[in-house]
Amino acid sequence: MSIILHELVGADTSRPFSPHCWKVVMALAHKGLPFERNNVCFTKVPEVEGGVSKTVPVIRDGSQVISDSFMIAAYLEETYPDKPSLFGGDGGQAMARFIESWTNTVLHGAMRDIALLDIHDALAPVDQDYFRSSREARMGVTLEQVAEGRAKALGALPATLMPLRVTLKSQPWIGGSSPLFADYIVFGALQWVRLTAGVKLVEDGDPVGDWFERCLDLYDGLGRSAPAAG
């Protein structure tokens, strides 16, 4: 039986854009587990699996329903130990927690400032209303005001990515010699912008860009199966 992954989409269902859902897409492919992708728009998330979570991703694996991308990865690791490891051991899982914290608190902020208005524009009208009201209430500014800072956010991005760039100068993956869940965490953030804003995030020859291209090529080009915006 295939695992069902509930993931976020906009008006164009060929470009599921949630960074957290992409972590799980890549984790399932890494494990070699068959899965089906169920499209969910923002305003339908409360209906997923009886309202088990306020956000997606959510997976159903037989009778088991799990939400939160990191919890899903930990579940897959424990439930399918015979499949390729997502963490490479307890130390790798702890390291991935740090990578997730850095991504959520630093990198996602930069990506948000670059792509927020584009995300809104990619949604169906009913979801646009929800997205605008919820994000503007949370941030205290309009989406357009956030978009005014795009050039500044793009200019600051090379410095934001410096820890990743330095790491990738000495090893091909965040996970070392092969990709691990830590790679998929950061990949999700860059894929988020690729699928919504379609802007160039790094210069040619940047180790981060080379790594991202390798991520897109993984699992028969799974990341490229969703066309870039723009």
Side-chain angles (χ1 to χ4, degrees):
M1 182 182 297
S2 293
I3 294 172
I4 298 173
L5 165 64
H6 303 282
E7 65 176 339
L8 192 65
V9 296
D12 181 353
T13 58
S14 72
R15 293 207 302 265
F17 58 84
S18 165
H20 305 292
C21 294
W22 272 103
K23 300 177 202 175
V24 177
V25 168
M26 300 299 280
L28 288 164
H30 180 108
K31 283 286 190 182
L33 297 168
F35 65 99
E36 301 174 16
R37 302 168 75 168
N38 179 49
N39 298 333
V40 182
C41 63
F42 271 109
T43 51
K44 296 297 184 181
V45 169
E47 301 175 11
V48 169
E49 297 291 351
V52 69
S53 175
K54 294 181 179 179
T55 61
V56 289
V58 172
I59 67 166
R60 172 174 284 279
D61 186 16
S63 63
Q64 299 296 310
V65 176
I66 306 97
S67 60
D68 180 86
S69 59
F70 205 99
M71 294 296 292
I72 291 170
Y75 165 82
L76 295 175
E77 188 78 345
E78 180 178 357
T79 307
Y80 300 98
D82 56 320
K83 302 293 186 179
S85 176
L86 286 166
F87 300 111
D90 291 343
Q93 186 163 342
M95 181 267 292
R97 275 291 189 193
F98 170 78
I99 296 295
E100 182 176 65
S101 296
W102 174 77
T103 302
N104 287 346
T105 59
V106 178
L107 190 54
H108 278 191
M111 300 296 106
R112 177 203 63 202
D113 291 349
I114 293 167
L116 194 67
L117 189 58
D118 296 284
I119 296 169
H120 167 272
D121 293 346
L123 303 176
V126 65
D127 292 306
Q128 287 181 339
D129 293 342
Y130 162 78
F131 187 82
R132 177 178 290 276
S133 61
S134 62
R135 270 52 183 181
E136 291 183 350
R138 182 186 305 170
M139 300 176 68
V141 295
T142 67
L143 302 185
E144 287 75 14
Q145 286 173 310
V146 175
E148 290 173 1
R150 172 188 271 197
K152 182 178 179 180
L154 282 168
L157 192 59
T160 302
L161 293 171
M162 184 60 72
L164 180 61
R165 182 177 301 107
V166 172
T167 298
L168 294 171
K169 285 181 179 179
S170 59
Q171 60 194 57
W173 303 98
I174 300 172
S177 60
S178 60
L180 294 175
F181 189 64
D183 289 271
Y184 309 144
I185 293 170
V186 182
F187 167 77
L190 274 65
Q191 179 79 322
W192 187 23
V193 174
R194 173 181 173 268
L195 296 174
T196 54
V199 297
K200 186 175 182 178
L201 294 176
V202 296
E203 296 298 324
D204 293 340
D206 190 311
V208 175
D210 294 341
W211 163 86
F212 184 60
E213 292 296 319
R214 292 197 299 275
C215 287
L216 289 169
D217 288 336
L218 289 170
Y219 315 118
D220 298 321
L222 181 58
R224 295 189 194 279
S225 66

